[in-house]
Structure formats: structure tokens, C-alpha cells
Amino acid sequence: MREKILEKSKELFLNLGFKSVTMDEIASSLGVSKKTIYKYFKNKTELIDAVTLHMFNTICTGINGVCELKLGAIHELFSIKKIILENLKDEKSSPQYQLQKYYPKIYASIKQKQFHVMQDCVVDNLKKGIETGLYRDNIDLEFISRIYFNGIVGIKDKDIFPLTNYSMITLMNNYLEYHLRAISTQKGVQELENQLKLK
């Protein structure tokens, strides 16, 4: 039951926002009483904390699975983007914005976790890209990995990128292309063009 509550809550939070969804709505969507939810989570904040961690772990597992496939560096990033979009299901409610505004402690904690995972993942990807001649060998790994993370977080800022103007898919696609064009060699750009054709 706990798993069902997490999955249904995730779906509602991504579509309607963390602030907007009530415990009553979650219970009603599941066809259970609110008491059932409170058996597993003592309040909404605890449920949100569990849902964000659940989403984070699911995405991490997916990313690790992609990394184990030993794909080329550029192909790997496109595959990771696909995993993230599948899990966020083109979020419609700026959940990150609501999380940041109404549940700042949870937001700060998850952002810290994301940073550490992404930092390692991006640095590994950059090294692989340099070794295979897809990325320029004079890039600063530490700087690029941090700027990449900052950009991924930044494109979710609904004041700068309102969801009425940009879907999450468009933002992710544009940002990934922007990132790769900045660091790729001629060979890398060719691989990027090939990946873009497959979209």
C-alpha cells in the first residue's frame, strides 16, 4: 500500500503541484480513507519528503542502468534525458517551484542529493567524451559539471521559463543541445546531429 500511495501522490503532485494537492484528493484517487494514508505518513510534509526521495531514487536507478550500458558519451546523455522525462512525465505544475516555495527544507535536501549524484555522473560523462574524441580536451571538468547542474535546475524556474511558453521536453532538449554544442569537437557535433535526428 505504501508504494501505491507514493506512486499516486507522485502523479498528482507532478500534475497539480505539491501545494495544490490535498490529502483528501490523494485518498479519493486511491479509493481509500485518509486514515489509511496516515497509517504510513503522519502528515503531508512527511508524504512529500517520501515522494521526492522515491522519485530521486527511481531516477538514480534509471541513470545507473544507462551508465552500465557503456554507451558513447553523447548517446548516454540523450538516454539519461529520456529516463528523466519518463519519470517527470512532462510536469505541468512547476513542482520544483512549489517545493522550493512551500517546502524549502525538502527542496534543499533533494537539491543537495541531486548535485552529488549529477556531479559524479557528469564528470564521468565528460571524461568518457574526451577519451573518445567527442568532447574538446581542454574543458574544465569541474566547471562544466557545475554549470550543467546549474542549468538543469535553472530551466525549471517558471519565472524565467513559464510553462505556458515552454514544455519541459522542449527545455530539456534545447538545454542538452546547448550544452553539447559548447563542449563537442567536430566528431561530437556530428554525433549530436545524429542523435537529434532520432528524436
Side-chain angles (χ1 to χ4, degrees), residues 83-125:
I83 295 273
I84 292 168
L85 287 173
E86 279 168 7
N87 279 280
L88 298 180
K89 300 196 170 39
D90 199 23
E91 54 195 45
K92 297 170 188 69
S93 62
S94 297
Q96 177 180 290
Y97 174 79
Q98 285 201 0
L99 200 61
Q100 191 172 1
K101 188 171 179 183
Y102 301 108
Y103 301 94
K105 278 186 184 164
I106 296 173
Y107 172 78
S109 164
I110 211 77
K111 187 178 172 188
Q112 198 60 36
K113 287 183 175 82
Q114 285 172 336
F115 175 71
H116 289 302
V117 168
M118 269 188 72
Q119 188 73 349
D120 292 343
C121 185
V122 175
V123 167
D124 287 348
N125 181 272

Side-chain angles (χ1 to χ4, degrees), residues 63-195:
I63 290 172
N64 290 339
V66 167
C67 293
E68 281 165 18
L69 296 173
K70 307 281 184 223
L71 305 168
I74 291 173
H75 187 178
E76 182 176 86
L77 285 185
F78 274 86
S79 299
I80 287 172
K81 179 200 72 177
K82 194 174 168 208
I83 295 273
I84 292 168
L85 287 173
E86 279 168 7
N87 279 280
L88 298 180
K89 300 196 170 39
D90 199 23
E91 54 195 45
K92 297 170 188 69
S93 62
S94 297
Q96 177 180 290
Y97 174 79
Q98 285 201 0
L99 200 61
Q100 191 172 1
K101 188 171 179 183
Y102 301 108
Y103 301 94
K105 278 186 184 164
I106 296 173
Y107 172 78
S109 164
I110 211 77
K111 187 178 172 188
Q112 198 60 36
K113 287 183 175 82
Q114 285 172 336
F115 175 71
H116 289 302
V117 168
M118 269 188 72
Q119 188 73 349
D120 292 343
C121 185
V122 175
V123 167
D124 287 348
N125 181 272
L126 292 171
K127 285 178 182 169
K128 186 195 293 191
I130 291 168
E131 281 162 19
T132 53
L134 294 173
Y135 302 156
R136 291 182 288 110
D137 59 11
N138 61 343
I139 57 177
D140 181 329
L141 301 183
E142 199 59 27
F143 175 77
I144 298 287
S145 64
R146 286 169 186 270
I147 207 95
Y148 183 73
F149 177 79
N150 204 40
I152 286 286
V153 172
I155 61 172
K156 292 181 178 178
D157 183 328
K158 78 173 187 70
D159 293 328
I160 299 172
F161 299 104
L163 286 174
T164 46
N165 300 6
Y166 304 94
S167 73
M168 193 43 65
I169 291 174
T170 304
L171 288 170
M172 291 280 283
N173 286 340
N174 289 352
Y175 184 65
L176 185 53
E177 183 177 353
Y178 174 82
H179 166 71
L180 287 169
R181 286 195 186 280
I183 62 172
S184 291
T185 59
Q186 203 50 52
K187 180 182 169 186
V189 170
Q190 191 53 59
E191 175 57 27
L192 169 61
E193 299 288 353
N194 294 340
Q195 287 294 328

Side-chain angles (χ1 to χ4, degrees), residues 3-71:
E3 200 67 23
K4 274 187 184 166
I5 295 168
L6 288 174
E7 280 302 326
K8 180 52 75 177
S9 301
K10 176 184 114 170
E11 184 189 311
L12 291 169
F13 290 147
L14 287 179
N15 284 320
L16 305 168
F18 288 103
K19 176 74 173 159
S20 317
V21 178
T22 65
M23 294 296 258
D24 283 313
E25 285 168 323
I26 295 167
S28 171
S29 297
L30 284 162
V32 299
S33 69
K34 248 194 326 188
K35 216 160 97 179
T36 305
I37 297 175
Y38 287 125
K39 222 163 67 179
Y40 298 92
F41 306 98
K42 69 173 187 257
N43 53 39
K44 186 178 168 186
T45 303
E46 193 177 281
L47 174 60
I48 288 171
D49 197 17
V51 167
T52 53
L53 191 60
H54 175 66
M55 284 166 59
F56 172 76
N57 289 334
T58 304
I59 291 171
C60 282
T61 302
I63 290 172
N64 290 339
V66 167
C67 293
E68 281 165 18
L69 296 173
K70 307 281 184 223
L71 305 168

